[in-house]
Amino acid sequence: MDQVIAPHRLPTVQAAWGTNAYRAGLALFHTGVIGHPPPRMPAAPQLLLSCKPRINAVMERFLAERALVLRPESMSSARGGLRRFGLWLDTERPHIDRLDQLNRADAVAFMEKVNRLRKMKHPDEPLSPAYRAGIISTLAVFFRHAALGEWDDVPTRPLITAADMPRRIEKVPRFIPEHQLEPVMDRIRALPCPLQRCALLVARWSGARRTEIRKLHLDCLDTYPDGTPRLRLAAGKALKERTVPVHEEAAEAIRALAQLRHNQHDRGIYDPDLGQPVRYLFLRNGCLAHPDYLFADPLGQICTELGILNGEGKPAIHAHRFRHTLGTQLAEKGARMQTIMKVLGHKSPGMSMTYTHISDPSVLADYQSVLQPGAVIAGPLAETLRAGQIDQDALDWLKTNFYKTELELGRCLRLPQEGPCECDLYLSCAKFITTPEYAPRLRERLCVERQLITDARDRGWEREIERHQRIADRITGLLDDLGEPHHDPAG
């Protein structure tokens, strides 16, 4: 071959030959000629993590043990982080040939270097904040793992702890505005490829991650008892299957694609997570469709045609924004926290709380009922609010945390730096505020306090009478300030 093909073209020919051979092997597998899918072309050999043999051996041992519990994509990130550290040791600390010669100052110097590192394939571009944090996190786990295992050639105590992790900005979910969402959805519905059209419709209406959608099984769709379509999402990032309701438009796209797939006589592909062969919904050329083909390519073309681009001229909408959009819409329509967690597959309420921000109409209405000019309010903080004496920092905190301030009978607008208060107990905290929306609760509480006063009087408990009477007087004063009656008008 090297006599008839130019040397610079030989790598391309080899890659093309490997691709064609792999596809031929897939065809033989799905038609039953061979029993297993063909192996892919062997990957390039792994680069050394460090040129120092004893350092490289310890790092490889760590990766070998972590490979027992981590997924391949996580292993790739861990190897990249350790290789960055190994290269730094080779160039900046050439005199060190064992890791137990390192100290805290060396670790700090590397963390400072990480902030100035550049991409290896694109040296003119800095590393992203997430990748920089990942490098430091990998190094912290490595030192802790080796120290707990009492390995040789490593520091006896971790050089980096959780306190060294870089702080990251908690971003508001990037939902797709309505004026962009509708034209994008019209283009998605018109896509000629049924795989791309189905994948993006499922992303829009299920809130699933790309990995969960890509690995959908052929029998992923059924119905609830009332006939609502129900989607069984494959195990993705959290390694956990779950079922969610899905819009009829996405369900119809799944049914159409499943009908096409049932007419194809392919064999199941072994899933290492499940430990068994699976017939996938999104099969292309005999193997799982690539996520770029399903999501990035069609969305990029749609955004280019519609002119929805960011400041760098790149498509401004990616598949994950459909997930943010669904989460935001659920919160705005008053969905319970448990519902958002279930649909989006969150492990903790804190992850779902990001969707209950100030754009939530109910939260916004409560916020305006307290802070808008001329609002009817009562409580020790009422005069301060009416006079506009709250500084800008306090207002900024309230705008982002207002939904956290609700109490039984009103709200506590005390800032975190002011410490805890007793709003809910005594209704006399300087930061307590209430609005007419809480009037029914105030009347109920007043009724309870009066019953307790009567009970304490029957028992002869003078101090209890005084305590409940003070609370009743405070509630009566709040109702008077709000212009509300003391007794329920409905009886």
Side-chain angles (χ1 to χ4, degrees), residues 7-20:
H8 69 275
R9 290 187 56 200
L10 281 175
T12 303
V13 172
Q14 180 185 10
W17 181 89
T19 300
N20 292 334

Side-chain angles (χ1 to χ4, degrees), residues 1-45:
M1 291 177 63
D2 59 1
Q3 296 178 6
V4 295
I5 297 176
H8 69 275
R9 290 187 56 200
L10 281 175
T12 303
V13 172
Q14 180 185 10
W17 181 89
T19 300
N20 292 334
Y22 178 73
R23 289 179 176 176
L26 284 175
L28 295 174
F29 165 71
H30 287 298
T31 53
V33 177
I34 59 178
H36 300 280
R40 291 189 176 273
M41 289 289 290

Side-chain angles (χ1 to χ4, degrees), residues 28-104:
L28 295 174
F29 165 71
H30 287 298
T31 53
V33 177
I34 59 178
H36 300 280
R40 291 189 176 273
M41 289 289 290
Q46 297 281 8
L47 298 174
L48 288 176
L49 299 173
S50 172
C51 66
K52 312 290 180 58
R54 298 179 72 166
I55 294 178
N56 186 76
V58 173
M59 291 183 174
E60 289 290 356
R61 178 183 176 183
F62 168 75
L63 292 177
E65 292 191 7
R66 297 302 291 167
L68 300 175
V69 294
L70 295 182
R71 309 187 77 182
E73 51 268 26
S74 299
M75 287 302 304
S76 175
S77 176
R79 175 172 285 276
L82 288 183
R83 184 164 177 260
R84 291 274 188 176
F85 182 57
L87 291 175
W88 180 82
L89 288 176
D90 295 342
T91 57
E92 303 293 333
R93 300 292 189 272
H95 61 283
I96 292 179
D97 55 8
R98 300 194 320 271
L99 290 176
D100 58 359
Q101 298 172 346
L102 293 172
N103 54 38
R104 169 71 178 176

Side-chain angles (χ1 to χ4, degrees), residues 403-422:
Y403 66 90
K404 301 178 183 178
T405 66
E406 186 173 14
L407 304 171
E408 178 193 2
L409 302 177
R411 291 183 178 273
C412 173
L413 303 189
R414 179 178 292 263
L415 302 178
Q417 59 267 30
E418 297 179 276
C421 68
E422 298 177 336

Side-chain angles (χ1 to χ4, degrees), residues 263-303:
N263 295 330
Q264 299 171 357
H265 303 289
D266 56 278
R267 300 170 65 184
I269 299 176
Y270 182 80
D271 187 331
D273 293 331
L274 297 177
Q276 62 185 24
V278 173
R279 287 197 71 190
Y280 291 109
L281 181 65
F282 295 101
L283 199 72
R284 181 171 181 261
N285 294 332
C287 58
L288 267 175
H290 196 277
D292 286 349
Y293 177 81
L294 293 177
F295 304 102
D297 294 347
L299 276 179
Q301 181 180 353
I302 290 172
C303 289

Side-chain angles (χ1 to χ4, degrees), residues 173-185 204 308 316-317 321-322 325 329:
R174 267 38 176 189
F175 62 91
I176 305 174
E178 192 66 28
H179 70 277
Q180 294 180 351
L181 181 61
E182 284 307 315
V184 167
M185 292 305 301
R204 166 65 183 96
I308 305 176
I317 295 179
R321 290 189 65 181
F322 288 119
T325 300
Q329 290 177 337

Side-chain angles (χ1 to χ4, degrees), residues 339-375:
T339 300
I340 299 177
M341 289 179 62
K342 173 70 174 178
V343 171
L344 299 184
H346 289 159
K347 290 185 176 181
S348 66
M351 301 172 71
S352 301
M353 289 288 281
T354 58
Y355 294 98
T356 57
H357 48 74
I358 200 64
S359 67
D360 186 335
S362 60
V363 175
L364 181 59
D366 287 345
Y367 172 79
Q368 292 175 339
S369 70
V370 172
L371 297 181
Q372 71 180 0

